[in-house]
Amino acid sequence: MQPWTPGEVIRPETGVRMVLAANPSPMTHWGTNTYIVGEGAVAVIDPGPALPAHLAAILAALAPGERISHILVTHPHLDHSPLARPLAEATGAPVLGFGPAGSGISSRMAGIEGLGGGEGIDTSFTPDVRLADGDVIEGPGWHLKALHTPGHMAGHMAFALGDLLFTGDHVMGWAPSLVSPPEGDMTDYMASLDRLAGHRWRRFLSAHGLPMDDPATRLAELTTHRRTREAAILAALTHGPADLGTLTARVYTDVAPALLPAARRNLLAHLIDLFHGKKIAAQGAPLPSARFSLP
């Protein structure tokens, strides 16, 4: 059951407000969580989709005399970034993010043609200020540290407020992230999970779904989930070479039909990761049309 309604101002943490956008879907859960950090001069994290009602709700969530000083975008997907520019025009605040769509794509992906992908990308997004790993954004009483967490998307950023982390789409409590090549990279995704697991976080706030009060357990669950999928792929290949469609049907037997296209993209990301790790072979190249086998 959905615990809040779009436009309602929720306070999940002291000094943090959240407003839900009205864009529910199988990929966004109840919709996008837009966060407001601080008081007085505040930061907005993930302004969300281009919905005039959501823009109005963000502005209405401000107290009299408050202003938005920074607009932070975890990554340029259509459910996260399109409202950044209208919000900037309404408030004069700069937009900060890793870069435009396509920024930071790994060398693994850059060397492969014919991968398709591009689902839900906001190709018009360009930040006013480009963030790098470790950059700090500050306001009165708040201090956010940018963490580059590629995987779901090459330019994905998370933002740390002390031991609280705004995880964007990299870690969500309700579902694993989509990792769709070439923007998504399973090798980078797993490395980012490992990086976050090396820190003692108190709580995660993601862009979709409920807060996560046991970050270490959730990170371990996601890591196990991906390693289990990897093992299932290798087991499926013991029956002989197979293409992407065949492997998807064999491995994703627990997925609703509506989610099979996303499962196919996730499986392709796993195959590329396994290929580069020399755990599998491919006839030609690790493309969607290749046949994969054990080496």
Side-chain angles (χ1 to χ4, degrees), residues 105-238:
I105 285 181
S106 71
S107 59
R108 285 176 296 278
M109 297 301 168
I112 303 172
E113 296 181 358
L115 284 175
E119 305 90 353
I121 291 178
D122 181 5
T123 57
S124 67
F125 176 75
T126 300
D128 300 312
V129 178
R130 296 185 68 153
L131 293 172
D133 185 63
D135 283 351
V136 172
I137 308 99
E138 294 182 293
W142 56 267
H143 173 111
L144 289 165
K145 183 176 181 180
L147 302 179
H148 184 210
T149 50
H152 171 68
M153 201 172 194
H156 191 284
M157 306 292 285
F159 298 100
L161 183 68
D163 58 2
L164 171 72
L165 187 68
F166 297 93
T167 60
D169 280 3
H170 183 65
V171 182
M172 300 181 291
W174 69 285
S177 300
L178 172 67
V179 181
S180 177
E183 295 83 8
D185 186 308
M186 190 62 70
T187 307
D188 285 346
Y189 175 81
M190 298 303 291
S192 294
L193 287 180
D194 286 345
R195 180 191 182 186
L196 293 184
H199 187 90
R200 185 172 295 178
W201 302 102
R202 177 180 56 83
R203 203 176 199 212
F204 284 169
L205 296 178
S206 73
H208 307 283
L210 295 170
M212 289 161 274
D213 293 326
D214 189 350
T217 295
R218 185 56 180 157
L219 289 169
E221 289 171 349
L222 291 173
T223 299
T224 298
H225 171 76
R226 295 298 185 181
R227 294 304 182 203
T228 300
R229 291 292 191 205
E230 178 182 295
I233 293 168
L234 295 174
L237 288 174
T238 62

Side-chain angles (χ1 to χ4, degrees), residues 228-251:
T228 300
R229 291 292 191 205
E230 178 182 295
I233 293 168
L234 295 174
L237 288 174
T238 62
H239 301 290
D243 59 18
L244 178 60
T246 300
L247 287 170
T248 301
R250 289 179 183 173
V251 172

Side-chain angles (χ1 to χ4, degrees), residues 113-115 242-245 264 268 271 282-292:
E113 296 181 358
L115 284 175
D243 59 18
L244 178 60
R264 183 184 177 96
L268 177 61
L271 290 170
Q283 294 181 6
L287 304 176
S289 58
R291 285 176 63 80
F292 301 89

Side-chain angles (χ1 to χ4, degrees), residues 26-27 248-249 252-264:
M27 300 303 295
T248 301
Y252 282 86
T253 58
D254 56 345
V255 171
L259 294 177
L260 280 175
R264 183 184 177 96

